[in-house]
Structure formats: C-alpha cells, structure tokens
Amino acid sequence: MSHTLLAWLVGGVLLVGAGLATTLVPARRARDRKRRTAWSAARAAIDSATVSRDAAAGPVPAAEQLLARAELIAADRGGVSAARTAEQHAQQADRLWRAQP
C-alpha cells in the first residue's frame, strides 16, 4: 500500500469521524438540556404543591395521592415523559389544595 493511499484513507476516516461528532454531540446536548429542563419544571411544581399543602386549611386526600405519585415518579428519575407526568400530577394537586376554601 502506498503512502498516498494510506494518507487518503486516514483522511477519509478522520473526515467521517468529524462529521459524526459534529452531528451527534449537539443532538445529545439538546436532549440532555431538554431532560434537565423538564425535571426542573417538575421539581418546581412539586415544591409549589408542597407549599400549597402546608398552607391548606385541611387535608385533601386526592391531592395527597397526586403529590405522592409525583414524588415517587421524581424519585425514579425517568426521562422527559416521566418528568412531565410528575409535573402534571403536582400541578393537579396544587390546584386541588388552592381550590379548598
């Protein structure tokens, strides 16, 4: 194998590797950012529901169950859909506590 062919082969492999890296790295960062943002929103909703529970005049069993589910989902640390589900449960619990007279 001549040196010229070897240089072209190595250059081609490096070019393909660089192309893959420039497409995969930003996609992975975007996916991680989306996951972190979803979990941040879920944690904020859980914290808000916890404050509403502490400020409520009395117990609301349905809200307690929703908050417990949200906290359980958050403890498992799933993906974006799990974070959204936890956020929805916490927001519903928050609404139930705020609707209480």
Side-chain angles (χ1 to χ4, degrees):
M1 188 184 282
S2 71
H3 292 294
T4 307
L5 182 60
L6 183 61
W8 277 102
L9 192 60
V10 170
V13 169
L14 289 174
L15 188 61
V16 168
L20 285 174
T22 58
T23 57
L24 295 179
V25 170
R28 183 174 180 187
R29 285 183 183 165
R31 187 180 65 236
D32 288 345
R33 186 180 312 116
K34 187 176 181 180
R35 183 181 49 80
R36 286 192 315 264
T37 303
W39 277 112
S40 177
R43 280 189 227 98
I46 290 170
D47 290 344
S48 180
T50 302
V51 169
S52 294
R53 178 193 62 197
D54 294 343
V60 179
E64 292 282 348
Q65 289 177 351
L66 285 168
L67 181 59
R69 279 190 212 142
E71 289 173 337
L72 185 63
I73 292 169
D76 285 340
R77 297 279 306 165
V80 174
S81 62
R84 288 187 181 142
T85 302
E87 181 181 11
Q88 290 170 354
H89 287 325
Q91 287 173 344
Q92 181 62 30
D94 190 31
R95 282 192 290 274
L96 289 172
W97 275 307
R98 289 177 187 240
Q100 184 183 18

